[in-house]
DNA sequence: TTCAGACCTGT
DNA sequence: CAGGTCTGA
């Protein structure tokens, strides 16, 4: 049986990309509730499904390492290539701008350029992590505008927005209402296991692709998902899939929204059942509301019991104005720093700082001339004397 | 337009 | 109650 790859077992089955931890932190980016499909399968090794194939990712100081696994079903065939390609072709049809990193590689339409698997995988990673966006520069700008961000930024480096497959992104999002990360992860996993195409098995874990719209739209899906513990969200998922298929013509509609003007795309998504006001560049929920009040003395909705539309707008506007055009990215950093599971990072960081402080004080103390030590001693003697007397 | 209350399930 | 959304007043 195949096993999850480990970098320590040798680098021959691994490829790499130059990428520092300040530009990307896998643990934070893959664990902060953007995607629910990555698991830490080894120390610092993250395994998940992306672009129709199974990956294990890990990183060293200046390098991002990746390993992909062959799917038994598609070995030797072109099924795998076609699947991965479909993710990119969607945006190709809807406008050249949105091709992003992929642009330029396959631009010449005459001959279909034979892209080697390595090349393609590198492109998939660049696209997924949006590596051409320079996070270091953004952190600098956000820090200059926002002292609180600055205090977080040293610890929570490398938190990026993922450019996920729109279908996966949308249907995972619908699962998040009134819910928390650990439960959502379980739900999405069960969703893929029961409705997604199997890809491969590693150490007793089977990996499946995210279900297609057609699979999600089937009338049997609501009952199926209720059995899997989706609660009232089961109906939203099935109905949204049906609506996209019936009144919008299918997946290309979702793909097309990537290149649509923001407000248009947002409003289009909000017509789907289970997609409410939180679907926004700065997704405002009760949690973000708490952050706004606690860390920014933001008075929006102070008298309110719950998040009304007005409060949503006010908080969204507040952060957009503070952080600028990449406010959604900055939000991820703040959000990440507030997650319970990452609080230990703050402790270890402040412990490190304390240690550094101690060392500093010690060094200073050692450097100081003996006069002071003598003075101290004298004082001690004096005080002892006083006490005695 | 705005606002409770219901809604699945797990802790 | 939770990292919301829908519904009916």
């Amino acid at each position: 049986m195949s096993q999850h790859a480990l970098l320590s077992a040798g680098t021959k089955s691994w490829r790499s990309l130059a990428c520092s931890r300040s530009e990307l932190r896998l643990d934070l980016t893959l664990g902060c509730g953007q995607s629910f499909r990555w698991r830490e399968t080894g120390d610092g090794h993250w395994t998940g499904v992306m672009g129709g194939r199974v990956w294990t990712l890990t990183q060293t100081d200046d390098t991002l390492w990746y390993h992909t696994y062959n799917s038994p079903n598609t070995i030797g065939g072109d099924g795998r290539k076609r699947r991965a390609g479909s993710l990119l072709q969607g945006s190709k049809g809807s406008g050249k701008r949105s091709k992003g990193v992929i642009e330029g590689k396959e631009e010449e339409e005459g001959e279909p350029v034979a892209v080697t698997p390595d090349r393609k995988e590198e492109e998939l990673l660049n696209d997924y992590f949006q590596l051409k966006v320079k996070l270091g520069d953004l952190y600098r700008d956000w820090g200059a505008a926002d002292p609180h961000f600055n205090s977080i930024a040293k610890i929570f480096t490398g938190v990026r927005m993922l450019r996920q497959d729109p279908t996966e992104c949308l249907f995972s999002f619908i699962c998040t209402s009134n819910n928390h990360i650990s439960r959502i992860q379980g739900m999405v996993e069960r969703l893929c296991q029961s409705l997604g195409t199997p890809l491969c098995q590693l150490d007793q874990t089977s990996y499946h692709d995210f279900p297609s719209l057609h699979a999600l739209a089937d009338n049997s899906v609501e009952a199926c998902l209720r059995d899997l513990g989706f609660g009232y969200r089961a109906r939203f998922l099935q109905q949204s899939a049906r609506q996209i298929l019936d009144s919008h013509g299918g997946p290309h509609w979702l793909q097309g929204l990537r290149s649509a003007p923001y407000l248009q795309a947002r409003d289009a998504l909000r017509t789907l059942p289970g997609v409410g006001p939180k679907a926004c560049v700065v997704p405002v929920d009760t949690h973000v509301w708490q952050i706004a009040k606690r860390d920014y003395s933001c008075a929006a909705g102070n008298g309110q019991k719950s998040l009304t539309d007005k409060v949503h707008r006010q908080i969204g506007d507040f952060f957009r104005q503070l952080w600028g055009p990449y406010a959604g990215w900055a939000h991820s950093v703040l959000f990440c720093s507030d997650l319970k599971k990452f609080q230990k990072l703050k402790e270890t960081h402040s412990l490190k700082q304390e240690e550094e402080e101690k060392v500093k004080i010690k060094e200073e103390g050692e450097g100081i001339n003996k006069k002071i030590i003598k003075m101290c001693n004298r004082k001690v003697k004096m005080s002892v004397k006083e006490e005695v007397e």
Side-chain angles (χ1 to χ4, degrees):
Chain A
M1 185 190 291
S2 307
Q3 297 181 322
H4 291 95
L6 279 174
L7 190 61
S8 56
T11 57
K12 50 191 178 301
S13 71
W14 293 79
R15 309 249 159 219
S16 68
L17 228 57
C19 184
S20 68
R21 280 185 217 278
S22 58
E23 284 297 309
L24 172 64
R25 278 274 299 270
L26 290 174
D27 55 344
L28 303 179
T29 304
L30 300 178
C32 70
Q34 290 188 64
S35 167
F36 301 97
R37 303 219 60 204
W38 297 91
R39 298 286 186 284
E40 192 171 16
T41 50
D43 192 20
H45 287 57
W46 295 85
T47 303
V49 177
M50 185 268 286
R53 56 190 86 181
V54 182
W55 304 71
T56 296
L57 309 176
T58 191
Q59 61 187 149
T60 48
D61 280 345
D62 294 302
T63 309
L64 171 62
W65 298 87
Y66 59 97
H67 174 98
T68 60
Y69 305 85
N70 287 322
S71 317
N73 300 335
T74 52
I75 275 185
D78 57 359
R80 182 172 118 161
K81 282 181 186 168
R82 201 184 297 140
R83 290 199 68 79
S86 68
L87 182 121
L88 309 171
Q89 276 157 10
S91 49
K92 188 170 166 185
S94 55
K96 283 180 180 166
R97 272 183 310 150
S98 66
K99 276 186 74 182
V101 177
I102 282 60
E103 194 167 11
K105 300 281 163 44
E106 293 174 304
E107 191 72 76
E108 308 307 325
E109 300 289 340
E111 292 279 314
V113 182
V115 183
T116 66
D118 304 346
R119 197 81 197 133
K120 183 142 239 157
E121 288 178 350
E122 194 177 317
E123 285 169 5
L124 277 167
L125 282 180
N126 270 303
D127 187 58
Y128 188 66
F129 289 111
Q130 311 200 59
L131 292 177
K132 76 176 172 182
V133 176
K134 294 303 166 206
L135 202 57
D137 295 348
L138 290 172
Y139 269 57
R140 181 185 14 82
D141 297 344
W142 295 324
D146 174 359
H148 181 250
F149 181 93
N150 226 4
S151 70
I152 297 295
K154 295 177 196 77
I155 312 164
F156 293 90
T157 63
V159 182
R160 308 187 72 88
M161 286 293 282
L162 299 172
R163 190 163 186 266
Q164 301 184 65
D165 172 78
T167 304
E168 175 172 337
C169 187
L170 169 64
F171 288 89
S172 304
F173 176 84
I174 294 175
C175 296
T176 64
S177 82
N178 213 345
N179 214 341
H180 54 272
I181 291 178
S182 62
R183 185 180 164 209
I184 301 163
Q185 277 185 336
M187 286 164 59
V188 172
E189 188 171 308
R190 294 194 293 279
L191 179 74
C192 296
Q193 301 256 337
S194 47
L195 299 174
T197 307
L199 295 174
C200 73
Q201 184 171 357
L202 306 168
D203 295 317
Q204 356 273 26
T205 306
S206 64
Y207 290 87
H208 294 242
D209 208 348
F210 199 86
S212 67
L213 276 177
H214 281 98
L216 290 163
D218 193 274
N219 288 104
S220 63
V221 163
E222 180 180 352
C224 169
L225 294 183
R226 274 191 183 268
D227 285 343
L228 294 176
F230 280 65
Y232 60 86
R233 304 165 196 85
R235 185 152 41 98
F236 293 155
L237 292 164
Q238 192 271 332
Q239 285 182 334
S240 281
R242 179 106 317 250
Q243 192 170 315
I244 292 169
L245 242 31
D246 289 354
S247 31
H248 302 297
H252 75 269
W253 177 76
L254 274 179
Q255 288 282 349
L257 292 182
R258 279 181 161 178
S259 52
Y262 163 60
L263 290 175
Q264 205 176 306
R266 187 198 63 180
D267 292 340
L269 289 171
R270 284 190 192 170
T271 65
L272 300 169
V275 182
K278 191 189 165 183
C280 201
V281 261
V282 179
V284 178
D285 48 34
T286 50
H287 200 184
V288 171
W289 190 21
Q290 300 311 315
I291 295 177
K293 287 193 284 199
R294 188 192 62 212
D295 300 328
Y296 294 89
S297 316
C298 178
N302 257 352
Q304 300 286 342
K305 253 191 211 166
S306 63
L307 268 173
T308 61
D309 273 0
K310 198 175 172 187
V311 181
H312 263 109
R313 266 198 310 278
Q314 286 177 336
I315 302 200
D317 289 344
F318 173 76
F319 283 123
R320 269 192 297 278
Q321 199 188 342
L322 181 61
W323 293 325
Y326 280 80
W329 289 59
H331 159 272
S332 289
V333 182
L334 258 287
F335 185 81
C336 189
S337 78
D338 221 56
L339 285 173
K340 199 183 275 177
K341 66 167 153 179
F342 293 136
Q343 291 314 296
K344 57 183 186 293
L345 289 176
K346 291 183 181 171
E347 288 162 27
T348 46
H349 187 264
S350 57
L351 278 179
K352 265 186 206 163
Q353 276 192 332
E354 272 174 39
E355 284 307 311
E356 281 166 17
E357 286 295 310
K358 280 180 193 165
V359 170
K360 223 177 184 178
I361 290 166
K362 200 180 165 199
E363 282 168 354
E364 279 169 6
E366 282 165 354
I368 273 168
N369 56 43
K370 290 159 192 166
K371 278 182 196 168
I372 295 179
I373 295 170
K374 275 182 186 167
M375 273 172 64
C376 288
N377 285 341
R378 206 154 56 208
K379 273 188 186 170
V380 169
K381 278 177 192 163
M382 279 169 66
S383 64
V384 169
K385 206 175 167 186
E386 280 162 14
E387 274 173 28
V388 170
E389 283 173 353

